[in-house]
Amino acid sequence: MRDISMERVNQTREEILNTIENRTLTHEQKVAAMANLADSLMEVLELPEGLLELMDPEPEKKIICDLGEGHAPVRPRYIIPDYAKFMKEGSEFLQLKPPTDIWEATNALLIFYKHVPSVTNFPVYVGNLDELLEPFIRDEEEARKAIRLFLTHIDRTILDSFSHADIGPYDTRAGRIIMEVEAELCQAVPNLTLKYDPDILPDDYAALAAKTALTCAKPSFANHRMFKKELGEDYVIASCYNGLKLGGGSFTLCRILLGNLAKKADSIEDFKKKYLPYALDIMARYMDERIRFMVEESGFFESNFLSKEGFIHKDRFTAMFGMVGLAECVNALFEKEGKEGRYGHCQEADDLGVEIVEQICAFNEAHKNPYCGITGGHFLMHAQVGLDSDRKSSPGCRIPIGEEPESLAEHLSHCGRFHKYFPSGIGDIFPVEVTAQKNPDYVVDIVKGAFVKDVRYLSFYSSDSDVIRITGYLVKRSEIEKLRAGNNVLQDTTKLGMGAADNSHILERKVR
């Protein structure tokens, strides 16, 4: 481990004291923040030359970002346990036998969740809940009560909305109960996705999902055919909208801020031939080093019960090659060339966006990592949703807020050009007029048409909903207002949502 400067030590001490004295943070939020600050004092990775210059702390200058993973990888960023195995076999470490009824099932899962780490210190995946709970539903009223308490417990103890549950792709009583209860509770946690294939699920089930989404911003709709084709039947949706393998996960996720990188180039050719390849190479080698330390030195897979009992397997992990700000990148390059037209409104601009994404994909396909065998030795492409501190950098490949096309069909066609490149996640969000609550079939028809156009993932919420989708996670408007007033709030993602509202104008999306 390399020595660090006393200036950095003293700066960290000051930040720790500021955290201790912060009266808007709960005790749990302070502990998590101080742990991250302590991690910043570590220097255990062999960093690629040029990396630190590209990780400028200024949001509008930063080009490579590790998304808060820290300087010493202690565990994989996203962990996807095989909860079905746990329900069948129990756990020796947790001293739990397989559950026999709905109360034991929900209690066992809640215990398990306390022991699933991630970059947020909370589980980013809590299971395909309808499949897990369906075998234990004997009396529907009893099951409804158990599931209501179960979901309430999750919301009050898993304190950020990057925690994600799935339902589908089949019609189950448990899935219907989960959606009905979520509509009653209107909670931000857990995030929820419906794996949707119109050939498998009946229309009334999809309509219930749409009605629930318009009430509480979940579930989102995942294109089951697309995910299944790329990742296999045993994929999950975790965290924001991340497609990953069951029993594995993602070692790391880093992202390149394309809009900031484009500022450095003199022209489109200069960007494509000089700046983009340089930044991609440094980010890939940085991810390689993070993975190497995690696998070879951290001891996580040798010591953690999840691995020792077979709930996760090292060879089912991959990593996520992320990007944001494609719109700002294209627009900046057009300005440098003196071209008119903007991303999302101009065929030539959109074509350039596709060329840039395809160049990133080609680089990723050429790069090999020995520990990502489950995805052919490559990272998975990911359109990252952004950070609360981002400025002038739209999530992934999205059209900037305030510049959305008038036509929803045109907007969805644009989405379809880009979604196919990102098997580990990309999505678009659409606030919908309150009147749509009376016609959820309208939303289902939109989803069906979008999926035909290769749209991967769609989220909706009513324009008057308290629970809203920020970028890929959920927050309550009412909780944001509490935080603005200087009060404590339960979920730490509320702070992120407030930052996104201020810096990314997420409350100003075009209402459809």
Side-chain angles (χ1 to χ4, degrees):
M1 184 175 71
R2 300 187 298 279
D3 292 334
I4 60 173
S5 68
M6 281 307 300
E7 179 183 2
R8 185 161 150 192
V9 171
N10 290 333
Q11 180 184 2
T12 302
R13 286 173 173 168
E14 183 177 349
E15 290 174 347
I16 289 173
L17 180 60
N18 289 340
T19 300
I20 291 171
E21 294 177 347
N22 189 324
R23 299 188 181 187
T24 66
L25 297 177
T26 66
H27 173 73
E28 290 78 10
Q29 290 162 1
K30 289 182 179 181
V31 170
M34 288 189 289
N36 289 335
L37 288 168
D39 180 272
S40 72
L41 297 174
M42 303 296 289
E43 291 284 2
V44 299
L45 302 176
E46 294 296 328
L47 303 180
E49 185 177 351
L51 174 68
L52 295 180
E53 179 185 354
L54 296 181
M55 298 183 80
D56 193 298
E58 288 294 322
E60 294 187 39
K61 295 180 180 179
K62 186 187 292 290
I63 291 167
I64 291 176
C65 173
D66 69 358
L67 292 163
E69 288 186 12
H71 295 240
V74 67
R75 40 81 197 104
R77 181 182 183 95
Y78 299 132
I79 294 174
I80 312 298
D82 186 345
Y83 292 110
K85 175 182 171 67
F86 168 64
M87 300 296 262
K88 292 176 183 176
E89 302 174 9
S91 167
E92 181 180 352
F93 176 77
L94 296 179
Q95 303 174 48
L96 291 173
K97 295 180 179 180
T100 61
D101 61 29
I102 190 66
W103 299 104
E104 289 182 0
T106 52
N107 183 62
L109 286 170
L110 291 172
I111 293 172
F112 198 104
Y113 297 155
K114 304 296 190 297
H115 301 275
V116 180
S118 77
V119 66
T120 66
N121 298 315
F122 299 105
V124 296
Y125 176 68
V126 294
N128 217 98
L129 291 183
D130 58 341
E131 290 184 359
L132 294 174
L133 298 179
E134 182 73 8
F136 302 100
I137 295 182
R138 288 145 197 168
D139 178 279
E140 288 201 13
E141 284 309 305
E142 181 182 33
R144 187 179 301 274
K145 181 177 181 179
I147 289 172
R148 183 181 289 106
L149 291 172
F150 171 69
L151 292 172
T152 301
H153 188 113
I154 289 175
D155 182 73
R156 305 305 194 273
T157 61
I158 298 179
L159 303 180
D160 73 62
S161 55
F162 294 115
S163 182
H164 207 121
D166 296 343
I167 55 175
Y170 304 104
D171 185 350
T172 61
R173 291 178 298 169
R176 290 176 182 267
I177 291 172
I178 288 167
M179 287 190 286
E180 290 164 359
V181 169
E182 285 286 15
E184 295 170 11
L185 296 175
C186 288
Q187 298 175 156
V189 183
N191 208 331
L192 184 65
T193 288
L194 170 64
K195 298 178 177 180
Y196 181 51
D197 181 343
D199 290 342
I200 297 175
L201 274 174
D203 284 350
D204 72 308
Y205 192 100
L208 175 59
K211 184 178 179 180
T212 304
L214 294 176
T215 303
C216 60
K218 56 181 170 179
S220 296
F221 291 80
N223 189 331
H224 179 62
R225 294 176 194 165
M226 182 179 283
F227 277 109
K228 179 181 175 181
K229 181 179 179 180
E230 295 161 338
L231 298 178
E233 187 82 51
D234 60 343
Y235 79 92
V236 312
I237 305 298
S239 189
C240 290
Y241 46 42
N242 309 349
L244 295 168
K245 295 288 282 187
L246 181 68
S250 180
F251 291 117
T252 185
L253 162 60
C254 292
R255 65 173 187 161
I256 182 169
L257 288 90
L258 294 171
N260 290 348
L261 182 62
K263 296 174 186 176
K264 293 179 169 290
D266 294 328
S267 65
I268 293 173
E269 282 302 299
D270 192 35
F271 176 81
K272 292 168 69 174
K273 291 185 176 180
K274 178 181 177 181
Y275 286 96
L276 184 58
Y278 174 75
L280 294 175
D281 176 66
I282 289 180
M283 188 168 83
R285 288 190 286 120
Y286 177 50
M287 291 172 65
D288 287 341
E289 172 62 6
R290 295 189 67 84
I291 295 167
R292 182 204 63 77
F293 180 88
M294 197 179 306
V295 174
E296 298 178 6
E297 298 188 41
S298 75
F300 175 83
F301 290 100
E302 291 74 30
S303 61
N304 191 276
F305 86 100
L306 294 171
S307 178
K308 292 167 74 172
E309 295 190 26
F311 299 118
I312 60 173
H313 301 273
K314 181 170 60 180
D315 60 4
R316 294 186 65 80
F317 279 77
T318 185
M320 297 159 64
F321 205 58
M323 50 76 69
V324 294
L326 181 64
E328 288 74 16
C329 174
V330 169
N331 291 339
L333 293 175
F334 258 46
E335 290 173 10
K336 289 175 184 288
E337 298 269 358
K339 293 176 177 286
E340 295 184 357
R342 292 182 66 78
Y343 182 84
H345 297 272
C346 167
Q347 179 74 31
E348 186 182 359
D350 293 346
D351 289 346
L352 176 59
V354 170
E355 290 173 16
I356 291 169
V357 170
E358 288 183 341
Q359 183 176 344
I360 299 172
C361 289
F363 172 88
N364 185 50
E365 281 298 306
H367 183 82
K368 288 279 189 174
N369 181 282
Y371 296 111
C372 294
I374 193 69
T375 49
H378 310 294
F379 305 141
L380 287 180
M381 290 284 292
H382 181 73
Q384 201 266 330
V385 297
L387 290 178
D388 61 315
S389 57
D390 286 345
R391 292 177 176 84
K392 300 178 182 178
S393 185
S394 298
C397 301
R398 290 181 194 165
I399 298 171
I401 292 172
E403 299 185 25
E404 301 95 336
E406 283 297 319
S407 164
L408 177 58
E410 182 182 345
H411 197 157
L412 291 170
S413 294
H414 181 275
C415 298
R417 293 198 69 185
F418 294 93
H419 281 209
K420 61 186 176 182
Y421 296 106
F422 298 93
S424 75
I426 184 172
D428 280 84
I429 303 170
F430 298 97
V432 179
E433 285 280 4
V434 177
T435 53
Q437 293 179 353
K438 298 178 181 179
N439 186 17
D441 292 330
Y442 164 75
V443 174
V444 175
D445 287 341
I446 292 172
V447 174
K448 288 179 178 179
F451 283 5
V452 170
K453 291 182 175 291
D454 290 330
V455 173
R456 181 183 297 277
Y457 195 88
L458 286 174
S459 302
F460 302 90
Y461 59 87
S462 175
S463 57
D464 69 343
S465 174
D466 186 27
V467 182
I468 59 172
R469 189 163 296 273
I470 301 297
T471 50
Y473 59 96
L474 307 177
V475 167
K476 285 188 171 185
R477 297 183 209 246
S478 56
E479 290 292 286
I480 290 177
E481 293 311 310
K482 283 173 60 177
L483 184 59
R484 283 196 194 284
N487 298 311
N488 296 143
V489 292
L490 196 60
Q491 274 108 26
D492 55 13
T493 31
T494 303
K495 177 180 179 293
L496 303 182
M498 185 173 72
D502 293 340
N503 296 325
S504 300
H505 309 289
I506 56 89
L507 299 179
E508 300 170 28
R509 292 187 180 113
K510 184 177 180 60
V511 176
R512 301 293 182 176

